[in-house]
């Protein structure tokens, strides 16, 4: 049996489902039962009946699935696949901002550890952040940790006051305006589709800004045929699957998240065989981190 056949067989035997993010390798996306953006994957986790979830993505995603489904076993395909941005806020910083701004709402991008979520008021993902921030009763927002996403949301919600943090995604930060201008010169007919974790100057020259699934949906619905894609390269798999006749161009070799790329078919197979490494969180942390995540699901409806 090859690894793909073994994975299929074990999924049945172990009553497990495989969830994957669009940034993992295409061959891993191909064997997953569900593939999506961060919002879809956290929402979906609450609706699954299988007791075992194998998560192909970075740690904060598996943690969110576990926090929203404490009774399920959530297994990381690779326990060391971790998003550096998820660690970019100190709890002390949140507490200081709260003391100085008693009316502030701490809005936590879901790319954060469970501990940081537990100290926040509401979570957001890139696909629902604008909607949720608009819906909050507070005027003052402390947006953590991503500075670029925070500034983008602020530009779309001018009626609110923002305090920003200085977190960033190294992958999206490395996508440069000049590389996009060069790609545009080579493909003048192309539309530029960009993730909001990119820097302000990149967003300013983009034709569309959205989460990974919003980028895929936009390209799929568009009557245009050529696109320059400004986000992690794993997305090219689903773009190609849904649009075999359209052309998608990258803007250089740095659109690569080394953590997402830790997930391989062999690791998925081992995770299924052993149902480890499991995401384990204390009950107290899980309950505290559940509040902002559940509030996100409620407000995003
Ligand atoms: P999405 O929510 O758009 O899938 O983004 C997740 C992520 O990690 C972006 O870098
Ligand atoms: Fe984190 Fe960036 Fe990788 Fe997304 S692409 S998981 S934000 S490092």
């Amino acid at each position: 049996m090859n690894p793909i056949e073994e994975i299929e067989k074990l999924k049945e035997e172990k009553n497990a489902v495989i969830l994957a993010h669009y940034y993992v390798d295409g061959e891993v996306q191909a064997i997953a039962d569900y593939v999506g953006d961060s919002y879809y994957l956290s929402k979906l986790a609450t609706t699954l009946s299988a007791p075992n979830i194998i998560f192909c993505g970075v740690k904060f995603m598996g943690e969110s699935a576990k926090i929203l489904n404490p009774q399920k076993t959530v297994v990381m395909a690779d326990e060391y696949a971790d998003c550096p941005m998820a660690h970019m806020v100190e709890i002390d910083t949140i507490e200081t901002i709260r003391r100085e701004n008693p009316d502030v709402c701490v809005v936590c991008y879901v790319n954060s550890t469970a501990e940081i979520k537990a100290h926040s008021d509401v979570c957001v993902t890139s696909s629902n952040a604008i909607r949720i921030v608009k819906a909050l009763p507070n005027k003052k927002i402390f947006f953590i940790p991503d500075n670029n996403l925070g500034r983008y949301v602020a530009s779309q919600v001018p009626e609110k006051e923002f305090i920003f943090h200085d977190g960033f995604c190294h992958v999206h930060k490395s996508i440069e305006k000049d590389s996009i201008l060069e790609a545009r010169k080579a493909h003048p007919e192309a539309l530029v589709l960009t993730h909001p974790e990119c820097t302000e100057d990149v967003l300013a020259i983009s034709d569309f800004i959205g989460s990974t699934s919003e980028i895929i949906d936009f390209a799929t619905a568009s009557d245009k045929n050529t696109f320059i894609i400004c986000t992690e390269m794993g997305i090219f798999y689903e773009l190609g699957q849904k649009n075999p006749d359209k052309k998608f161009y990258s803007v250089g070799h740095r659109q690569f998240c080394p953590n997402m790329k830790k997930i391989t078919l062999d690791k998925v197979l081992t995770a299924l065989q052993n149902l480890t490494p499991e995401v384990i969180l204390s009950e107290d942390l899980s309950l505290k981190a559940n509040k902002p995540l559940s509030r996100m699901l409620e407000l995003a409806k």
Side-chain angles (χ1 to χ4, degrees), residues 21-23 36-41 58 60-61 83 85 109-111 125-127 169 171-172 195-197 210-214 231-232 257 260:
H21 187 266
Y22 288 125
Y23 291 163
D37 70 0
S38 314
Y39 176 49
Y40 171 80
L41 292 172
V58 286
F60 76 81
M61 297 178 171
C83 169
M85 179 156 62
Y109 187 29
V110 76
N111 295 38
T125 72
S126 54
S127 66
C169 161
V171 180
H172 288 85
H195 196 281
E197 286 177 15
S211 74
T212 49
S213 36
E214 288 170 334
T231 188
E232 212 277 345
C257 175
M260 288 286 189

